[in-house]
Amino acid sequence: MATNMAHLSCSFRLSVLVLFLIVSLFFFAFVHIPVLTMPLCVFVFVRVTLLHRIRVACTGADMTRDKEQSMDDQSPAVVRKGIDVTPNKDGGVCKVVKKWGEDGDRPMIGDKVTVHYTGKLLNGKKFDSSMDRKKAFTFSLGKGQVIKGLDIGVSSMQRGERCILLCKPEYAYGPAGCPPKIPPNAMLQFEVELLSFKGELLTDDGGITRRIKVKGEGYNNPNDGSTVHVHLEGYCGERLFDSRDVHFVVGESEDMGVPLGVDRAMEKMQKGECCMLYLKPKYGFGKEGRAQYKIGPNSDLVYEVTLINFEKAKESWELGLKEKLDFSAGAKQKGTQYFKAGCYLQAVVQYQRIVSWLEMEFVGKEQQQTVQNFLLVAQLNMAMCYLRLKEYALVVENCNKVLELDEKNEKALYRRGEARLFRNEFNLAMSDFKLVLQVNPSNRAARSQVSICQRKIREHHEMDKKTYANMFQKFAEHDVKVWNNILQPEWTAFKIAICSLLGMCIGPYFTIRIVFSETEGHVFHNVNICFY
């Protein structure tokens, strides 16, 4: 109401000013009293203009104060209606649920969460929105990738939930703000919708997924060879099959009946951390299962793991050459033990240790041969493990590394040939087997593999002939259909048009007759030109 009155008052003053100017011009033109009229006119004009500007400024300020007041009024409402979701209950992040989630599950630390959000200052000014970009925002929860208030608020939400989060400055951008959009010590309001979340993948093949229930202390992690003290609870479906405190060496957990997935996760954990590990069969008990725990073949497992304490092993750079060679001998023996037991991934871990210790070791000629022998054995054995695991690309990779050290290594050539044969790279496989025969002409297995490659190549060529023959037959049938249904009618119309033109040109001298005949379902158009 006050704003409307201000506009009416300004309009009235302007009207009076216009009327006064007209009267002044009349006196100036006809009565000739310019000395009194014009200064008065200018004075009134300036006064009304200044009053108008002051009024507009005041009105704008009032509107801004009203808007800020409305947002300030809304802020206590969020605090009153919402719940404090901060761990220490200091009111730093208050939440009001606008739409409840679909289920009771909530994201954990380290989860990949996907949200839509809109962020505003308390005066209602929007400073960021994923909705405006039309692209949802994904981040790792609890990893410091967003402000503290969002980390805390989103961790309290359910999938599908939409809520308002009011974050105090200490849970937002603090005294520094985020210029130019967010001033210092600004309280922020977010509207957030949690679209989805999933655990953190610890392996490229998705075989180990981690979800952190309790964050650990500091940033120190166990390394390969560390001795760890953990509490385990293993589940197959809903059944608890293992619950115990156990000590084991990272990389050798199989000795204590702990699956590889738990072993590999150790290097990502901190002291005091409690997490859920979701293991695919490859990182659990595999296709054999584990009769001791009544676990069937190819079973998915879930472990709740708490890292109570650990003692780190020496890093590679802290070891002397003698220690590295002694440890390599132990790792070779342990890898052979795991290989014979069918634990191929565990064996690979042991052989990888040897490579990590010795690959970059530069020694004199006396010890060079010893180091090289360890590397050759480790990489050849890894190639054999990967053959059993059907990871043929890794077989080729490890054999290539062996051949860089020894280009005529019979085992490396043969195993690379086997991997290429399984990948249907018959010509490359046959080349490898022929190289084996050049190194050792009495190798019967290689000679047999050459014959198999030749037979596979012939079969492949025959298959190609049949495939391409059928393909060309289908192309020919397709071309006939196109001709009969599309091209032939157009060609007929073209011929009729030509005949019509001929009729117009030579009609006085010739008679043109178009004869239609049908043969085997196709219409043929014969054009007879008769002289007269």
Side-chain angles (χ1 to χ4, degrees):
M1 184 66 181
T3 304
N4 293 334
M5 290 298 294
H7 283 300
L8 287 173
S9 176
C10 289
S11 300
F12 176 74
R13 290 175 181 273
L14 288 172
S15 301
V16 171
L17 175 61
V18 171
L19 180 61
F20 192 80
L21 284 173
I22 293 172
V23 173
S24 300
L25 289 172
F26 173 78
F27 276 97
F28 180 76
F30 299 104
V31 184
H32 303 288
I33 318 178
V35 177
L36 297 176
T37 306
M38 292 308 295
L40 184 60
C41 176
V42 171
F43 171 75
V44 173
F45 177 76
V46 171
R47 182 176 181 275
V48 173
T49 303
L50 288 173
L51 286 172
H52 175 66
R53 289 183 178 178
I54 292 170
R55 177 66 66 182
V56 169
C58 292
T59 303
D62 290 341
M63 291 175 67
T64 302
R65 280 195 297 273
D66 290 342
K67 195 169 187 179
E68 288 178 352
Q69 184 64 38
S70 67
M71 291 301 294
D72 288 339
D73 291 342
Q74 189 178 2
S75 168
V78 172
V79 174
R80 283 196 307 272
K81 296 179 183 176
I83 54 174
D84 182 2
V85 293
T86 52
N88 52 2
K89 301 301 178 185
D90 61 0
V93 182
C94 288
K95 182 177 84 166
V96 174
V97 178
K98 297 183 70 176
K99 176 191 170 187
W100 293 101
E102 299 170 358
D103 53 49
D105 196 17
R106 288 180 170 82
M108 297 182 186
I109 299 168
D111 283 3
K112 291 283 184 182
V113 298
T114 301
V115 300
H116 264 311
Y117 70 92
T118 298
K120 295 180 181 179
L121 302 175
L122 289 190
N123 61 9
K125 185 178 180 181
K126 186 195 305 181
F127 60 84
D128 193 14
S129 174
S130 64
M131 301 292 288
D132 293 346
R133 294 191 296 271
K134 297 181 179 178
K135 184 179 179 181
F137 177 61
T138 300
F139 65 97
S140 296
L141 192 67
K143 299 292 186 177
Q145 296 179 0
V146 295
I147 62 171
K148 191 176 178 181
L150 276 179
D151 265 338
I152 292 172
V154 172
S155 66
S156 72
M157 297 176 67
Q158 300 168 330
R159 184 181 283 103
E161 180 180 323
R162 190 168 69 249
C163 69
I164 299 291
L165 297 175
L166 187 67
C167 305
K168 287 185 176 180
E170 54 268 31
Y171 287 87
Y173 291 97
C178 187
K181 292 185 177 180
I182 301 173
N185 294 312
M187 186 177 288
L188 304 181
Q189 179 174 299
F190 290 91
E191 181 170 345
V192 183
E193 181 179 6
L194 179 57
L195 302 176
S196 65
F197 57 88
K198 59 183 180 181
E200 177 187 7
L201 298 179
L202 300 186
T203 56
D204 294 336
D205 59 6
I208 307 175
T209 301
R210 174 176 69 163
R211 302 189 67 203
I212 301 172
K213 295 180 71 176
V214 179
K215 193 172 182 178
E217 305 170 6
Y219 301 96
N220 202 14
N221 309 90
N223 60 348
D224 187 42
S226 295
T227 301
V228 297
H229 177 202
V230 299
H231 177 74
L232 301 176
E233 290 185 4
Y235 296 86
C236 184
E238 299 295 325
R239 181 173 66 88
L240 175 67
F241 66 85
D242 189 12
S243 178
R244 54 182 166 139
D245 280 10
V246 61
H247 293 77
F248 63 87
V249 175
V250 176
E252 302 175 14
S253 63
E254 180 66 25
D255 297 347
M256 304 302 297
V258 177
L260 180 65
V262 175
D263 183 284
R264 295 296 85 193
M266 288 295 106
E267 296 184 45
K268 301 286 187 179
M269 297 180 67
Q270 286 95 35
K271 181 180 177 181
E273 178 180 320
C274 176
C275 67
M276 305 296 296
L277 297 175
Y278 301 84
L279 310 181
K280 296 294 184 184
K282 177 180 177 181
Y283 295 94
F285 295 125
K287 58 184 180 181
E288 295 83 12
R290 187 60 58 94
Q292 174 187 353
Y293 299 125
K294 298 180 181 179
I295 303 295
N298 297 315
S299 297
D300 289 346
L301 304 177
V302 179
Y303 270 85
E304 182 173 327
V305 183
T306 302
L307 179 56
I308 299 170
N309 206 347
F310 67 92
E311 182 181 347
K312 291 192 75 165
K314 285 184 177 182
E315 299 289 352
S316 178
W317 55 268
E318 297 177 295
L319 298 173
L321 179 60
K322 186 178 184 307
E323 286 180 298
K324 289 181 179 180
L325 293 175
D326 290 343
F327 288 161
S328 295
K332 177 186 172 184
Q333 183 178 356
K334 180 71 73 173
T336 303
Q337 174 189 329
Y338 286 148
F339 183 85
K340 290 179 178 179
C343 302
Y344 303 119
L345 282 173
Q346 287 87 340
V348 165
V349 170
Q350 298 303 315
Y351 299 132
Q352 283 175 337
R353 282 180 171 181
I354 298 174
V355 174
S356 68
W357 287 328
L358 300 177
E359 189 173 30
M360 302 302 293
E361 190 70 27
F362 300 102
V363 296
K365 291 182 179 180
E366 299 176 358
Q367 296 167 316
Q368 182 63 41
Q369 190 61 45
T370 305
V371 170
Q372 184 168 316
N373 288 340
F374 270 119
L375 288 173
L376 288 173
V377 168
Q379 287 165 334
L380 281 172
N381 289 351
M382 276 197 284
M384 193 63 191
C385 291
Y386 285 128
L387 264 178
R388 299 295 176 88
L389 293 167
K390 300 181 180 180
E391 299 279 358
Y392 301 123
L394 293 173
V395 176
V396 173
E397 180 183 327
N398 280 279
C399 289
N400 287 341
K401 289 180 179 179
V402 172
L403 293 170
E404 289 175 6
L405 298 173
D406 179 8
E407 62 182 9
K408 294 184 179 180
N409 189 285
E410 185 178 350
K411 289 182 179 180
L413 290 169
Y414 188 86
R415 289 171 189 174
R416 188 174 71 175
E418 284 186 297
R420 286 172 166 174
L421 182 57
F422 283 120
R423 295 173 71 180
N424 295 331
E425 297 171 346
F426 305 123
N427 288 312
L428 291 173
M430 187 165 63
S431 298
D432 282 336
F433 293 128
K434 286 181 177 179
L435 288 172
V436 172
L437 291 173
Q438 289 178 13
V439 175
N440 180 10
S442 62
N443 191 318
R444 294 181 180 180
R447 196 173 300 281
S448 174
Q449 294 285 30
V450 169
S451 300
I452 291 173
C453 289
Q454 290 171 340
R455 178 169 55 82
K456 291 284 186 181
I457 290 170
R458 286 196 299 271
E459 291 174 357
H460 189 70
H461 286 166
E462 291 298 323
M463 191 180 300
D464 284 347
K465 285 181 183 179
K466 291 180 181 179
T467 301
Y468 291 129
N470 292 334
M471 185 185 302
F472 291 137
Q473 180 64 29
K474 289 178 181 178
F475 285 157
E477 293 173 357
H478 178 264
D479 291 344
V480 169
K481 289 181 180 179
V482 170
W483 168 255
N484 289 336
N485 297 330
I486 300 174
L487 298 179
Q488 187 176 354
E490 292 181 356
W491 173 240
T492 301
F494 174 73
K495 289 194 294 185
I496 292 174
I498 294 296
C499 291
S500 300
L501 289 173
L502 286 172
M504 292 169 59
C505 296
I506 62 175
Y509 309 102
F510 303 97
T511 298
I512 297 177
R513 184 175 60 202
I514 300 175
V515 180
F516 298 92
S517 62
E518 186 173 346
T519 304
E520 296 181 359
H522 302 292
V523 177
F524 296 90
H525 305 279
N526 300 320
V527 180
N528 296 327
I529 302 178
C530 304
F531 294 89
Y532 69 95

